[in-house]
Amino acid sequence: EVQLVESGGGLVQPGGSLRLSCTASGFTFRAYAMSWVRQAQGKGLEWVSGINNSGESTTSADSVKGRFTISRDNTKNTLFLEMNSLKPEDTAVYYCVKYSGTYYKTSLTDYWGQGAQVTVSS
């Protein structure tokens, strides 16, 4: 079965950094686009960043552009989100998300991880 397991969340001070990881199994990881989506307490889902199957194409939401970097290591079936210059408004549960195709703008999501809590607070 498809499994997506996030790790690396935690508490960090404003201006700090964290790196989230998502270990994938149960499918041919290199063949599918992936993304990170977050949900703050009491808020809706917010798409954060996406990456195509090869890792050659990425897009980030304006709210995180220049601060967050999505990447993947297809030899290790792992997706990453490097988060820098963190702000309190980045506090949320971050989900690792799989798409049904090679590109995140032309396919639909089909599997989600359980999420990793990121809390940015002084």
Side-chain angles (χ1 to χ4, degrees):
E1 73 280 11
V2 172
Q3 285 191 286
L4 302 170
V5 181
E6 299 96 336
S7 62
L11 175 65
V12 64
Q13 294 191 156
S17 299
L18 280 176
R19 187 176 78 158
L20 300 181
S21 297
C22 170
T23 300
S25 61
F27 64 100
T28 305
F29 182 71
R30 67 180 183 274
Y32 296 95
M34 302 289 292
S35 73
W36 292 95
V37 177
R38 68 185 182 186
Q39 185 169 37
Q41 187 83 67
K43 304 294 185 179
L45 296 168
E46 180 186 17
W47 188 86
V48 175
S49 191
I51 188 166
N52 80 320
N53 64 309
S54 69
E56 295 177 343
S57 179
T58 65
T59 306
S60 293
D62 288 343
S63 59
V64 306
K65 195 168 296 181
R67 300 188 298 120
F68 291 11
T69 302
I70 190 171
S71 62
R72 65 193 296 161
D73 185 342
N74 284 344
T75 70
K76 298 180 179 179
N77 291 354
T78 305
L79 178 74
F80 302 98
L81 185 67
E82 181 71 36
M83 303 182 292
N84 299 311
S85 301
L86 283 160
K87 306 174 181 180
E89 51 262 45
D90 294 319
T91 296
V93 175
Y94 285 72
Y95 297 96
C96 172
V97 182
K98 175 186 176 293
Y99 288 78
S100 62
T102 61
Y103 191 44
Y104 45 90
K105 291 186 177 181
T106 55
S107 61
L108 300 175
T109 63
D110 57 9
Y111 291 93
W112 294 56
Q114 292 296 305
Q117 177 69 49
V118 173
T119 302
V120 184
S121 177
S122 59

